[in-house]
mmCIF file of all heavy atoms in Angstrom:
data_model
loop_
_atom_site.group_PDB
_atom_site.id
_atom_site.type_symbol
_atom_site.label_atom_id
_atom_site.label_comp_id
_atom_site.label_asym_id
_atom_site.label_seq_id
_atom_site.Cartn_x
_atom_site.Cartn_y
_atom_site.Cartn_z
ATOM 1 N N MET A 1 0.849 -1.212 0.004
ATOM 2 C CA MET A 1 0.001 -0.010 -0.005
ATOM 3 C C MET A 1 0.883 1.257 0.002
ATOM 4 O O MET A 1 1.641 1.483 0.926
ATOM 5 C CB MET A 1 -0.901 -0.044 1.245
ATOM 6 C CG MET A 1 -1.997 1.003 1.300
ATOM 7 S SD MET A 1 -3.199 0.842 -0.027
ATOM 8 C CE MET A 1 -4.058 2.409 0.195
ATOM 9 N N ALA A 2 0.821 2.016 -1.051
ATOM 10 C CA ALA A 2 1.658 3.206 -1.179
ATOM 11 C C ALA A 2 1.080 4.398 -0.387
ATOM 12 O O ALA A 2 -0.088 4.413 -0.064
ATOM 13 C CB ALA A 2 1.762 3.603 -2.641
ATOM 14 N N TYR A 3 1.952 5.323 -0.085
ATOM 15 C CA TYR A 3 1.511 6.596 0.500
ATOM 16 C C TYR A 3 0.832 7.403 -0.593
ATOM 17 O O TYR A 3 1.147 7.260 -1.793
ATOM 18 C CB TYR A 3 2.684 7.370 1.063
ATOM 19 C CG TYR A 3 3.033 7.037 2.501
ATOM 20 C CD1 TYR A 3 3.449 5.750 2.836
ATOM 21 C CD2 TYR A 3 2.942 7.984 3.500
ATOM 22 C CE1 TYR A 3 3.777 5.439 4.139
ATOM 23 C CE2 TYR A 3 3.255 7.665 4.829
ATOM 24 C CZ TYR A 3 3.665 6.393 5.140
ATOM 25 O OH TYR A 3 3.967 6.082 6.445
ATOM 26 N N THR A 4 -0.102 8.261 -0.198
ATOM 27 C CA THR A 4 -0.698 9.195 -1.137
ATOM 28 C C THR A 4 -0.686 10.573 -0.495
ATOM 29 O O THR A 4 -0.740 10.709 0.722
ATOM 30 C CB THR A 4 -2.156 8.802 -1.472
ATOM 31 O OG1 THR A 4 -2.898 8.716 -0.286
ATOM 32 C CG2 THR A 4 -2.226 7.487 -2.227
ATOM 33 N N ILE A 5 -0.618 11.602 -1.335
ATOM 34 C CA ILE A 5 -0.609 12.987 -0.842
ATOM 35 C C ILE A 5 -2.001 13.571 -1.023
ATOM 36 O O ILE A 5 -2.552 13.564 -2.112
ATOM 37 C CB ILE A 5 0.440 13.803 -1.612
ATOM 38 C CG1 ILE A 5 1.855 13.302 -1.269
ATOM 39 C CG2 ILE A 5 0.302 15.288 -1.280
ATOM 40 C CD1 ILE A 5 2.979 13.916 -2.071
ATOM 41 N N ASN A 6 -2.560 14.051 0.088
ATOM 42 C CA ASN A 6 -3.937 14.560 0.007
ATOM 43 C C ASN A 6 -3.966 16.064 -0.378
ATOM 44 O O ASN A 6 -2.919 16.682 -0.589
ATOM 45 C CB ASN A 6 -4.701 14.295 1.303
ATOM 46 C CG ASN A 6 -4.195 15.092 2.484
ATOM 47 O OD1 ASN A 6 -3.559 16.123 2.337
ATOM 48 N ND2 ASN A 6 -4.466 14.600 3.696
ATOM 49 N N ASP A 7 -5.150 16.612 -0.420
ATOM 50 C CA ASP A 7 -5.326 17.976 -0.925
ATOM 51 C C ASP A 7 -4.800 19.054 0.037
ATOM 52 O O ASP A 7 -4.811 20.240 -0.304
ATOM 53 C CB ASP A 7 -6.816 18.229 -1.213
ATOM 54 C CG ASP A 7 -7.282 17.447 -2.429
ATOM 55 O OD1 ASP A 7 -6.451 16.951 -3.187
ATOM 56 O OD2 ASP A 7 -8.534 17.351 -2.615
ATOM 57 N N ASP A 8 -4.323 18.661 1.199
ATOM 58 C CA ASP A 8 -3.745 19.635 2.122
ATOM 59 C C ASP A 8 -2.380 20.128 1.662
ATOM 60 O O ASP A 8 -1.858 21.111 2.183
ATOM 61 C CB ASP A 8 -3.610 19.049 3.517
ATOM 62 C CG ASP A 8 -4.965 18.782 4.199
ATOM 63 O OD1 ASP A 8 -5.960 19.390 3.753
ATOM 64 O OD2 ASP A 8 -5.006 18.006 5.159
ATOM 65 N N CYS A 9 -1.811 19.440 0.674
ATOM 66 C CA CYS A 9 -0.455 19.787 0.180
ATOM 67 C C CYS A 9 -0.401 21.257 -0.237
ATOM 68 O O CYS A 9 -1.244 21.747 -0.992
ATOM 69 C CB CYS A 9 -0.114 18.914 -1.020
ATOM 70 S SG CYS A 9 1.435 19.325 -1.805
ATOM 71 N N ILE A 10 0.635 21.944 0.275
ATOM 72 C CA ILE A 10 0.812 23.357 -0.074
ATOM 73 C C ILE A 10 1.986 23.529 -1.068
ATOM 74 O O ILE A 10 2.468 24.644 -1.291
ATOM 75 C CB ILE A 10 1.090 24.224 1.172
ATOM 76 C CG1 ILE A 10 2.280 23.671 1.968
ATOM 77 C CG2 ILE A 10 -0.164 24.259 2.061
ATOM 78 C CD1 ILE A 10 2.718 24.582 3.139
ATOM 79 N N MET A 11 2.427 22.422 -1.647
ATOM 80 C CA MET A 11 3.449 22.420 -2.688
ATOM 81 C C MET A 11 4.755 23.070 -2.236
ATOM 82 O O MET A 11 5.389 23.798 -3.012
ATOM 83 C CB MET A 11 2.906 23.085 -3.961
ATOM 84 C CG MET A 11 1.710 22.379 -4.518
ATOM 85 S SD MET A 11 1.244 22.874 -6.193
ATOM 86 C CE MET A 11 2.453 21.992 -7.184
ATOM 87 N N CYS A 12 5.163 22.762 -1.027
ATOM 88 C CA CYS A 12 6.437 23.327 -0.517
ATOM 89 C C CYS A 12 7.642 22.624 -1.112
ATOM 90 O O CYS A 12 8.727 23.160 -1.161
ATOM 91 C CB CYS A 12 6.473 23.237 0.999
ATOM 92 S SG CYS A 12 6.697 21.553 1.641
ATOM 93 N N GLY A 13 7.421 21.374 -1.557
ATOM 94 C CA GLY A 13 8.503 20.619 -2.186
ATOM 95 C C GLY A 13 9.428 19.881 -1.246
ATOM 96 O O GLY A 13 10.366 19.199 -1.686
ATOM 97 N N ALA A 14 9.216 19.979 0.043
ATOM 98 C CA ALA A 14 10.105 19.370 1.027
ATOM 99 C C ALA A 14 10.192 17.849 0.879
ATOM 100 O O ALA A 14 11.277 17.260 1.067
ATOM 101 C CB ALA A 14 9.653 19.724 2.446
ATOM 102 N N CYS A 15 9.114 17.225 0.557
ATOM 103 C CA CYS A 15 9.097 15.755 0.492
ATOM 104 C C CYS A 15 9.887 15.199 -0.693
ATOM 105 O O CYS A 15 10.454 14.111 -0.627
ATOM 106 C CB CYS A 15 7.658 15.272 0.426
ATOM 107 S SG CYS A 15 6.715 15.948 -0.956
ATOM 108 N N GLU A 16 9.905 15.921 -1.766
ATOM 109 C CA GLU A 16 10.488 15.411 -3.020
ATOM 110 C C GLU A 16 11.926 14.931 -2.830
ATOM 111 O O GLU A 16 12.308 13.836 -3.259
ATOM 112 C CB GLU A 16 10.423 16.475 -4.122
ATOM 113 C CG GLU A 16 10.838 15.950 -5.472
ATOM 114 C CD GLU A 16 10.651 16.994 -6.583
ATOM 115 O OE1 GLU A 16 10.450 18.177 -6.271
ATOM 116 O OE2 GLU A 16 10.711 16.597 -7.758
ATOM 117 N N GLY A 17 12.745 15.734 -2.156
ATOM 118 C CA GLY A 17 14.137 15.382 -1.968
ATOM 119 C C GLY A 17 14.370 14.323 -0.910
ATOM 120 O O GLY A 17 15.472 13.779 -0.825
ATOM 121 N N GLU A 18 13.377 14.070 -0.078
ATOM 122 C CA GLU A 18 13.524 13.085 0.991
ATOM 123 C C GLU A 18 13.228 11.649 0.541
ATOM 124 O O GLU A 18 13.607 10.695 1.212
ATOM 125 C CB GLU A 18 12.559 13.438 2.157
ATOM 126 C CG GLU A 18 12.914 14.722 2.867
ATOM 127 C CD GLU A 18 14.269 14.631 3.568
ATOM 128 O OE1 GLU A 18 14.546 13.593 4.163
ATOM 129 O OE2 GLU A 18 15.012 15.618 3.522
ATOM 130 N N CYS A 19 12.535 11.512 -0.562
ATOM 131 C CA CYS A 19 12.132 10.163 -0.981
ATOM 132 C C CYS A 19 13.324 9.357 -1.489
ATOM 133 O O CYS A 19 13.977 9.767 -2.446
ATOM 134 C CB CYS A 19 11.065 10.286 -2.064
ATOM 135 S SG CYS A 19 10.500 8.666 -2.630
ATOM 136 N N PRO A 20 13.601 8.214 -0.881
ATOM 137 C CA PRO A 20 14.766 7.403 -1.265
ATOM 138 C C PRO A 20 14.672 6.777 -2.647
ATOM 139 O O PRO A 20 15.673 6.378 -3.222
ATOM 140 C CB PRO A 20 14.844 6.336 -0.183
ATOM 141 C CG PRO A 20 13.440 6.206 0.325
ATOM 142 C CD PRO A 20 12.877 7.620 0.227
ATOM 143 N N VAL A 21 13.470 6.720 -3.185
ATOM 144 C CA VAL A 21 13.296 6.112 -4.523
ATOM 145 C C VAL A 21 12.816 7.162 -5.530
ATOM 146 O O VAL A 21 12.415 6.817 -6.645
ATOM 147 C CB VAL A 21 12.346 4.903 -4.481
ATOM 148 C CG1 VAL A 21 12.952 3.770 -3.666
ATOM 149 C CG2 VAL A 21 10.976 5.271 -3.941
ATOM 150 N N SER A 22 12.888 8.426 -5.128
ATOM 151 C CA SER A 22 12.534 9.550 -6.019
ATOM 152 C C SER A 22 11.194 9.354 -6.746
ATOM 153 O O SER A 22 11.124 9.554 -7.970
ATOM 154 C CB SER A 22 13.647 9.770 -7.046
ATOM 155 O OG SER A 22 14.870 10.045 -6.395
ATOM 156 N N CYS A 23 10.181 8.966 -5.994
ATOM 157 C CA CYS A 23 8.885 8.730 -6.658
ATOM 158 C C CYS A 23 7.882 9.849 -6.414
ATOM 159 O O CYS A 23 6.705 9.692 -6.707
ATOM 160 C CB CYS A 23 8.336 7.379 -6.237
ATOM 161 S SG CYS A 23 7.764 7.250 -4.541
ATOM 162 N N ILE A 24 8.362 10.977 -5.868
ATOM 163 C CA ILE A 24 7.480 12.130 -5.645
ATOM 164 C C ILE A 24 7.795 13.206 -6.673
ATOM 165 O O ILE A 24 8.936 13.537 -6.924
ATOM 166 C CB ILE A 24 7.642 12.705 -4.237
ATOM 167 C CG1 ILE A 24 7.461 11.627 -3.179
ATOM 168 C CG2 ILE A 24 6.671 13.871 -4.008
ATOM 169 C CD1 ILE A 24 7.736 12.081 -1.760
ATOM 170 N N SER A 25 6.743 13.740 -7.291
ATOM 171 C CA SER A 25 6.949 14.787 -8.275
ATOM 172 C C SER A 25 5.849 15.839 -8.166
ATOM 173 O O SER A 25 4.807 15.607 -7.565
ATOM 174 C CB SER A 25 6.980 14.203 -9.686
ATOM 175 O OG SER A 25 5.746 13.546 -9.958
ATOM 176 N N GLU A 26 6.103 16.985 -8.762
ATOM 177 C CA GLU A 26 5.136 18.078 -8.739
ATOM 178 C C GLU A 26 3.991 17.764 -9.670
ATOM 179 O O GLU A 26 4.185 17.485 -10.847
ATOM 180 C CB GLU A 26 5.842 19.366 -9.180
ATOM 181 C CG GLU A 26 5.004 20.627 -8.934
ATOM 182 C CD GLU A 26 5.799 21.894 -9.260
ATOM 183 O OE1 GLU A 26 7.044 21.833 -9.270
ATOM 184 O OE2 GLU A 26 5.158 22.914 -9.515
ATOM 185 N N GLY A 27 2.776 17.799 -9.125
ATOM 186 C CA GLY A 27 1.619 17.523 -9.932
ATOM 187 C C GLY A 27 0.772 18.767 -10.157
ATOM 188 O O GLY A 27 1.262 19.872 -9.982
ATOM 189 N N ASP A 28 -0.451 18.598 -10.503
ATOM 190 C CA ASP A 28 -1.361 19.698 -10.783
ATOM 191 C C ASP A 28 -2.028 20.134 -9.469
ATOM 192 O O ASP A 28 -3.013 19.516 -9.064
ATOM 193 C CB ASP A 28 -2.385 19.257 -11.825
ATOM 194 C CG ASP A 28 -3.276 20.401 -12.263
ATOM 195 O OD1 ASP A 28 -2.909 21.576 -12.016
ATOM 196 O OD2 ASP A 28 -4.336 20.129 -12.849
ATOM 197 N N GLY A 29 -1.499 21.142 -8.825
ATOM 198 C CA GLY A 29 -2.084 21.634 -7.599
ATOM 199 C C GLY A 29 -1.570 20.999 -6.350
ATOM 200 O O GLY A 29 -1.805 21.477 -5.235
ATOM 201 N N LYS A 30 -0.866 19.891 -6.479
ATOM 202 C CA LYS A 30 -0.237 19.227 -5.315
ATOM 203 C C LYS A 30 0.850 18.299 -5.810
ATOM 204 O O LYS A 30 0.888 17.968 -7.009
ATOM 205 C CB LYS A 30 -1.285 18.467 -4.493
ATOM 206 C CG LYS A 30 -1.918 17.293 -5.236
ATOM 207 C CD LYS A 30 -2.913 16.548 -4.331
ATOM 208 C CE LYS A 30 -3.457 15.326 -5.028
ATOM 209 N NZ LYS A 30 -4.382 14.544 -4.145
ATOM 210 N N TYR A 31 1.690 17.878 -4.912
ATOM 211 C CA TYR A 31 2.701 16.890 -5.269
ATOM 212 C C TYR A 31 2.051 15.512 -5.307
ATOM 213 O O TYR A 31 1.062 15.257 -4.610
ATOM 214 C CB TYR A 31 3.879 16.932 -4.296
ATOM 215 C CG TYR A 31 4.910 17.968 -4.672
ATOM 216 C CD1 TYR A 31 4.582 19.306 -4.734
ATOM 217 C CD2 TYR A 31 6.216 17.599 -5.009
ATOM 218 C CE1 TYR A 31 5.519 20.259 -5.097
ATOM 219 C CE2 TYR A 31 7.152 18.543 -5.385
ATOM 220 C CZ TYR A 31 6.809 19.888 -5.431
ATOM 221 O OH TYR A 31 7.732 20.818 -5.821
ATOM 222 N N VAL A 32 2.609 14.629 -6.122
ATOM 223 C CA VAL A 32 2.012 13.304 -6.271
ATOM 224 C C VAL A 32 3.073 12.211 -6.097
ATOM 225 O O VAL A 32 4.255 12.415 -6.353
ATOM 226 C CB VAL A 32 1.344 13.137 -7.650
ATOM 227 C CG1 VAL A 32 0.098 14.028 -7.746
ATOM 228 C CG2 VAL A 32 2.303 13.447 -8.786
ATOM 229 N N ILE A 33 2.631 11.054 -5.649
ATOM 230 C CA ILE A 33 3.500 9.896 -5.437
ATOM 231 C C ILE A 33 3.188 8.815 -6.462
ATOM 232 O O ILE A 33 2.031 8.486 -6.700
ATOM 233 C CB ILE A 33 3.268 9.333 -4.011
ATOM 234 C CG1 ILE A 33 3.779 10.337 -2.959
ATOM 235 C CG2 ILE A 33 3.971 7.981 -3.839
ATOM 236 C CD1 ILE A 33 3.394 9.995 -1.539
ATOM 237 N N ASP A 34 4.252 8.274 -7.058
ATOM 238 C CA ASP A 34 4.101 7.135 -7.977
ATOM 239 C C ASP A 34 3.899 5.885 -7.137
ATOM 240 O O ASP A 34 4.826 5.370 -6.504
ATOM 241 C CB ASP A 34 5.361 7.017 -8.842
ATOM 242 C CG ASP A 34 5.319 5.808 -9.783
ATOM 243 O OD1 ASP A 34 4.374 5.010 -9.683
ATOM 244 O OD2 ASP A 34 6.263 5.656 -10.591
ATOM 245 N N ALA A 35 2.685 5.433 -7.092
ATOM 246 C CA ALA A 35 2.299 4.314 -6.236
ATOM 247 C C ALA A 35 3.060 3.035 -6.520
ATOM 248 O O ALA A 35 3.320 2.211 -5.645
ATOM 249 C CB ALA A 35 0.808 4.061 -6.318
ATOM 250 N N ASP A 36 3.461 2.850 -7.768
ATOM 251 C CA ASP A 36 4.177 1.630 -8.139
ATOM 252 C C ASP A 36 5.616 1.625 -7.612
ATOM 253 O O ASP A 36 6.214 0.573 -7.448
ATOM 254 C CB ASP A 36 4.203 1.479 -9.678
ATOM 255 C CG ASP A 36 2.815 1.194 -10.228
ATOM 256 O OD1 ASP A 36 2.013 0.619 -9.486
ATOM 257 O OD2 ASP A 36 2.564 1.554 -11.389
ATOM 258 N N ALA A 37 6.143 2.814 -7.350
ATOM 259 C CA ALA A 37 7.553 2.916 -6.905
ATOM 260 C C ALA A 37 7.667 3.098 -5.395
ATOM 261 O O ALA A 37 8.703 2.751 -4.806
ATOM 262 C CB ALA A 37 8.231 4.057 -7.643
ATOM 263 N N CYS A 38 6.671 3.642 -4.752
ATOM 264 C CA CYS A 38 6.718 3.930 -3.319
ATOM 265 C C CYS A 38 6.967 2.647 -2.504
ATOM 266 O O CYS A 38 6.331 1.619 -2.719
ATOM 267 C CB CYS A 38 5.395 4.556 -2.882
ATOM 268 S SG CYS A 38 5.273 4.862 -1.090
ATOM 269 N N ILE A 39 7.946 2.759 -1.565
ATOM 270 C CA ILE A 39 8.276 1.590 -0.727
ATOM 271 C C ILE A 39 7.749 1.763 0.707
ATOM 272 O O ILE A 39 8.180 1.048 1.618
ATOM 273 C CB ILE A 39 9.802 1.347 -0.709
ATOM 274 C CG1 ILE A 39 10.556 2.595 -0.203
ATOM 275 C CG2 ILE A 39 10.307 0.922 -2.081
ATOM 276 C CD1 ILE A 39 12.044 2.345 0.060
ATOM 277 N N ASP A 40 6.851 2.726 0.883
ATOM 278 C CA ASP A 40 6.196 2.878 2.195
ATOM 279 C C ASP A 40 7.127 3.234 3.349
ATOM 280 O O ASP A 40 6.879 2.798 4.477
ATOM 281 C CB ASP A 40 5.443 1.575 2.551
ATOM 282 C CG ASP A 40 4.005 1.581 2.082
ATOM 283 O OD1 ASP A 40 3.429 2.674 1.933
ATOM 284 O OD2 ASP A 40 3.470 0.495 1.846
ATOM 285 N N CYS A 41 8.170 3.987 3.085
ATOM 286 C CA CYS A 41 9.149 4.282 4.149
ATOM 287 C C CYS A 41 8.650 5.344 5.117
ATOM 288 O O CYS A 41 9.100 5.398 6.255
ATOM 289 C CB CYS A 41 10.467 4.707 3.536
ATOM 290 S SG CYS A 41 10.437 6.337 2.786
ATOM 291 N N GLY A 42 7.768 6.225 4.657
ATOM 292 C CA GLY A 42 7.222 7.259 5.529
ATOM 293 C C GLY A 42 8.064 8.521 5.647
ATOM 294 O O GLY A 42 7.693 9.442 6.371
ATOM 295 N N SER A 43 9.164 8.602 4.912
ATOM 296 C CA SER A 43 10.041 9.785 4.986
ATOM 297 C C SER A 43 9.310 11.065 4.572
ATOM 298 O O SER A 43 9.509 12.118 5.158
ATOM 299 C CB SER A 43 11.266 9.596 4.126
ATOM 300 O OG SER A 43 12.086 8.572 4.633
ATOM 301 N N CYS A 44 8.470 10.962 3.571
ATOM 302 C CA CYS A 44 7.729 12.128 3.086
ATOM 303 C C CYS A 44 6.816 12.683 4.181
ATOM 304 O O CYS A 44 6.735 13.878 4.414
ATOM 305 C CB CYS A 44 6.949 11.811 1.837
ATOM 306 S SG CYS A 44 5.904 10.328 1.980
ATOM 307 N N ALA A 45 6.150 11.786 4.878
ATOM 308 C CA ALA A 45 5.245 12.193 5.955
ATOM 309 C C ALA A 45 6.023 12.854 7.085
ATOM 310 O O ALA A 45 5.530 13.789 7.728
ATOM 311 C CB ALA A 45 4.479 10.974 6.475
ATOM 312 N N GLY A 46 7.253 12.404 7.280
ATOM 313 C CA GLY A 46 8.064 12.944 8.361
ATOM 314 C C GLY A 46 8.496 14.371 8.153
ATOM 315 O O GLY A 46 8.744 15.092 9.115
ATOM 316 N N VAL A 47 8.594 14.821 6.908
ATOM 317 C CA VAL A 47 9.055 16.196 6.649
ATOM 318 C C VAL A 47 7.927 17.140 6.249
ATOM 319 O O VAL A 47 8.128 18.348 6.203
ATOM 320 C CB VAL A 47 10.147 16.236 5.562
ATOM 321 C CG1 VAL A 47 11.379 15.461 6.029
ATOM 322 C CG2 VAL A 47 9.627 15.729 4.250
ATOM 323 N N CYS A 48 6.756 16.615 5.972
ATOM 324 C CA CYS A 48 5.665 17.477 5.499
ATOM 325 C C CYS A 48 5.118 18.368 6.618
ATOM 326 O O CYS A 48 4.741 17.864 7.679
ATOM 327 C CB CYS A 48 4.541 16.602 4.931
ATOM 328 S SG CYS A 48 3.168 17.606 4.301
ATOM 329 N N PRO A 49 5.047 19.677 6.371
ATOM 330 C CA PRO A 49 4.550 20.615 7.405
ATOM 331 C C PRO A 49 3.045 20.540 7.632
ATOM 332 O O PRO A 49 2.543 21.041 8.632
ATOM 333 C CB PRO A 49 4.962 21.992 6.855
ATOM 334 C CG PRO A 49 5.007 21.806 5.375
ATOM 335 C CD PRO A 49 5.509 20.390 5.163
ATOM 336 N N VAL A 50 2.317 19.941 6.686
ATOM 337 C CA VAL A 50 0.860 19.912 6.837
ATOM 338 C C VAL A 50 0.302 18.486 6.879
ATOM 339 O O VAL A 50 -0.904 18.266 6.772
ATOM 340 C CB VAL A 50 0.180 20.701 5.705
ATOM 341 C CG1 VAL A 50 0.528 22.187 5.790
ATOM 342 C CG2 VAL A 50 0.550 20.139 4.337
ATOM 343 N N ASP A 51 1.189 17.481 7.020
ATOM 344 C CA ASP A 51 0.757 16.106 7.182
ATOM 345 C C ASP A 51 -0.064 15.589 5.989
ATOM 346 O O ASP A 51 -1.000 14.814 6.159
ATOM 347 C CB ASP A 51 -0.066 15.966 8.467
ATOM 348 C CG ASP A 51 0.104 14.594 9.127
ATOM 349 O OD1 ASP A 51 1.135 13.951 8.881
ATOM 350 O OD2 ASP A 51 -0.803 14.183 9.877
ATOM 351 N N ALA A 52 0.328 16.025 4.796
ATOM 352 C CA ALA A 52 -0.416 15.636 3.620
ATOM 353 C C ALA A 52 -0.183 14.198 3.117
ATOM 354 O O ALA A 52 -1.128 13.558 2.648
ATOM 355 C CB ALA A 52 -0.168 16.622 2.472
ATOM 356 N N PRO A 53 1.046 13.658 3.248
ATOM 357 C CA PRO A 53 1.220 12.261 2.803
ATOM 358 C C PRO A 53 0.594 11.309 3.820
ATOM 359 O O PRO A 53 0.888 11.343 5.009
ATOM 360 C CB PRO A 53 2.756 12.109 2.791
ATOM 361 C CG PRO A 53 3.308 13.501 2.789
ATOM 362 C CD PRO A 53 2.321 14.300 3.583
ATOM 363 N N GLN A 54 -0.265 10.453 3.342
ATOM 364 C CA GLN A 54 -1.007 9.527 4.209
ATOM 365 C C GLN A 54 -0.743 8.083 3.788
ATOM 366 O O GLN A 54 -0.695 7.775 2.607
ATOM 367 C CB GLN A 54 -2.506 9.800 4.144
ATOM 368 C CG GLN A 54 -2.907 11.219 4.556
ATOM 369 C CD GLN A 54 -2.796 11.461 6.034
ATOM 370 O OE1 GLN A 54 -3.072 10.556 6.832
ATOM 371 N NE2 GLN A 54 -2.390 12.660 6.426
ATOM 372 N N ALA A 55 -0.564 7.213 4.780
ATOM 373 C CA ALA A 55 -0.302 5.813 4.516
ATOM 374 C C ALA A 55 -1.591 5.118 4.030
ATOM 375 O O ALA A 55 -2.681 5.515 4.374
ATOM 376 C CB ALA A 55 0.204 5.109 5.748
HETATM 377 FE FE1 SF4 B 101 8.860 8.033 -1.105
HETATM 378 FE FE2 SF4 B 101 8.869 6.826 1.240
HETATM 379 FE FE3 SF4 B 101 7.066 8.733 0.783
HETATM 380 FE FE4 SF4 B 101 6.862 6.398 -0.497
HETATM 381 S S1 SF4 B 101 6.634 6.742 1.743
HETATM 382 S S2 SF4 B 101 6.671 8.424 -1.414
HETATM 383 S S3 SF4 B 101 9.007 5.817 -0.763
HETATM 384 S S4 SF4 B 101 9.304 8.997 0.893
HETATM 385 FE FE1 SF4 B 102 3.086 18.887 -0.252
HETATM 386 FE FE2 SF4 B 102 3.844 18.118 2.198
HETATM 387 FE FE3 SF4 B 102 5.290 17.413 0.066
HETATM 388 FE FE4 SF4 B 102 5.274 19.961 0.914
HETATM 389 S S1 SF4 B 102 6.105 18.179 2.036
HETATM 390 S S2 SF4 B 102 5.123 19.267 -1.251
HETATM 391 S S3 SF4 B 102 3.133 20.178 1.597
HETATM 392 S S4 SF4 B 102 3.167 16.798 0.498
#
């Protein structure tokens, strides 16, 4: 089960550089996670200021 980024994302970009498999990218209005690549590490959730990445 991959993490997903909800609509609370403020597009700060902090999570993108933290992902060990580089599966986070800038999407339309929020950042998005490639579910096929996500390894469920939780690093993105750890750095997000608004708790947008959800398991
Ligand atoms: Fe990347 Fe880990 Fe977040 Fe998945 S849970 S998107 S692997 S930082
Ligand atoms: Fe969006 Fe949180 Fe990632 Fe910032 S750290 S781009 S608010 S999901």
